[in-house]
């Protein structure tokens, strides 16, 4: 069985301090491909460096909405992002988006940073990894302003309305350990309804370790636990879910 962790942060200290061990444990769990996702310009560069070092790691470069103020402060940021996007093994722009949940970054600042990154990233032809939390109306408005956007909604944890909105726009849906411990039936129902051909599995490591383990440090190997949970939840075989979600990730991100 082969799995892809379509969203992790290997550059974060909790994982970077034992990177060889993290990757070894992932391989033992059948997780043979990982996408290391940036959250600001500096750690996006680190993500690309890690991807260049390991055959089974690829990178995404982008600025999380919580870092929007910092991104906009430097007028060269979009050009820097564009240069990062052409580094070897960079396969996506992300994570970018909007997050209004207990955020100290004003919505208008987040929106400006998102637009700037979309406009910088679109010419590359790369897919986007979108982070959206409590900001769907503004996100869809900005999304629909631009033609040619494709990618995945990372860490999806909303209900049927937003699931349908994402699917109707051709986006993939990334599910992670949240599904193993949520008590929100609307979230679980969405997880059941994601078409298998649009499903990606991720960890968001080092965060969101899945139940029942709920480790203090989540690792890419834990994508296998989430896969097992989702297969049972959805009434599918683990083999089919693993095979198709892996094919989806390879197709979307071009993982050679």
């Amino acid at each position: 069985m082969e799995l892809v962790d379509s969203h992790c942060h290997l550059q974060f200290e909790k994982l970077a301090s034992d990177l060889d061990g993290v990757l070894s444990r992932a391989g033992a769990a059948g997780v043979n491909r990982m996408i290391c996702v940036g959250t600001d310009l500096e750690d996006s560069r680190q993500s690309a460096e890690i991807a260049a070092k390991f055959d089974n790691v690829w990178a995404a470069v982008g600025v999380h909405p919580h870092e929007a103020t910092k991104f906009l402060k430097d007028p060269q940021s979009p050009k820097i992002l564009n240069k990062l996007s052409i580094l070897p093994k960079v396969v996506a722009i992300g994570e970018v988006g909007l997050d209004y949940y207990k955020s100290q970054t004003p919505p208008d600042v987040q929106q400006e940073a998102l637009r700037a990154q979309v406009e910088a990233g679109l010419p590359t032809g790369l897919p986007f990894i979108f982070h959206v939390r409590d900001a769907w109306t503004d996100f869809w408005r900005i999304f629909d302003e631009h033609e040619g956007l494709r990618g995945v909604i990372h860490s999806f944890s909303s209900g049927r309305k937003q699931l349908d909105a994402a699917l109707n726009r051709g986006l993939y849906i990334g599910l992670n350990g949240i599904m193993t411990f949520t008590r929100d039936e609307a979230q679980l129902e969405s997880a059941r309804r994601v078409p298998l051909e649009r499903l990606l599995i991720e960890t968001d490591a080092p965060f969101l370790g899945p139940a029942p383990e709920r480790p203090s440090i989540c690792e890419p190997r834990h994508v296998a636990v989430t896969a097992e949970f989702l297969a049972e939840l959805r009434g599918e075989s683990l083999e089919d879910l693993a095979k198709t979600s892996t094919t989806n990730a390879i197709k979307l991100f071009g993982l050679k």
Side-chain angles (χ1 to χ4, degrees):
M1 183 178 69
E2 184 179 7
L3 290 162
V4 176
D5 185 351
S6 63
H7 192 116
C8 59
H9 302 287
L10 301 174
Q11 76 277 27
F12 286 13
E13 178 60 26
K14 289 181 178 180
L15 299 179
S17 60
D18 181 28
L19 197 51
D20 287 334
V22 167
L23 297 182
S24 176
R25 291 187 288 274
V31 184
N32 297 318
R33 293 180 176 91
M34 289 150 271
I35 298 178
C36 183
V37 180
T39 60
D40 63 30
L41 293 178
E42 178 52 37
D43 80 16
S44 289
R45 190 184 307 277
Q46 294 168 3
S47 296
E49 290 173 352
I50 290 171
K53 184 178 179 181
F54 296 97
D55 289 342
N56 60 341
V57 179
W58 288 261
V61 296
V63 177
H64 188 284
H66 290 340
E67 304 295 331
T69 301
K70 181 180 177 182
F71 178 82
L72 294 175
K73 187 174 293 185
D74 183 353
Q76 296 301 310
S77 289
K79 291 184 178 179
I80 295 171
L81 177 61
N82 191 264
K83 289 181 178 179
L84 290 172
S85 72
I86 62 175
L87 291 174
K89 297 187 73 180
V90 171
V91 296
I93 305 296
E95 61 188 283
V96 304
L98 302 175
D99 189 331
Y100 297 169
Y101 180 75
K102 296 183 179 179
S103 177
Q104 296 181 357
T105 306
D108 60 326
V109 174
Q110 294 189 37
Q111 292 171 34
E112 184 179 353
L114 174 58
R115 283 193 175 93
Q117 292 184 87
V118 167
E119 290 164 9
L122 263 175
T124 70
L126 295 174
F128 285 76
I129 297 174
F130 291 114
H131 173 115
V132 189
R133 191 173 188 190
D134 291 357
W136 290 104
T137 299
D138 287 341
F139 175 75
W140 291 130
R141 177 170 49 81
I142 294 171
F143 185 98
D144 291 340
E145 291 172 359
H146 301 86
E147 293 185 7
L149 281 177
R150 62 191 184 94
V152 56
I153 301 292
H154 141 70
S155 194
F156 186 86
S157 57
S158 191
R160 176 74 179 273
K161 177 181 178 181
Q162 303 307 336
L163 174 63
D164 288 346
L167 295 174
N168 289 339
R169 289 168 171 84
L171 294 169
Y172 287 78
I173 305 297
L175 299 180
N176 57 35
I178 289 174
M179 294 302 117
T180 69
F181 55 78
T182 183
R183 296 184 179 180
D184 187 331
E185 182 54 38
Q187 293 178 349
L188 293 172
E189 182 59 22
S190 288
R192 294 185 188 98
R193 287 181 173 273
V194 178
L196 187 55
E197 65 272 14
R198 297 280 196 89
L199 175 64
L200 298 181
I201 310 177
E202 59 172 67
T203 58
D204 204 19
F207 311 111
L208 303 178
E213 189 173 340
R214 295 303 306 274
S216 58
I217 301 176
C218 182
E219 296 185 11
R221 66 183 175 90
H222 289 112
V223 82
V225 179
T226 298
E228 291 175 2
F229 175 87
L230 289 174
E232 182 174 355
L233 177 72
R234 294 162 55 89
E236 296 165 342
S237 73
L238 178 58
E239 291 74 16
D240 286 346
L241 187 143
K243 180 179 180 179
T244 305
S245 64
T246 293
T247 299
N248 295 342
I250 292 171
K251 177 181 177 181
L252 177 62
F253 297 114
L255 306 183
K256 303 296 184 182

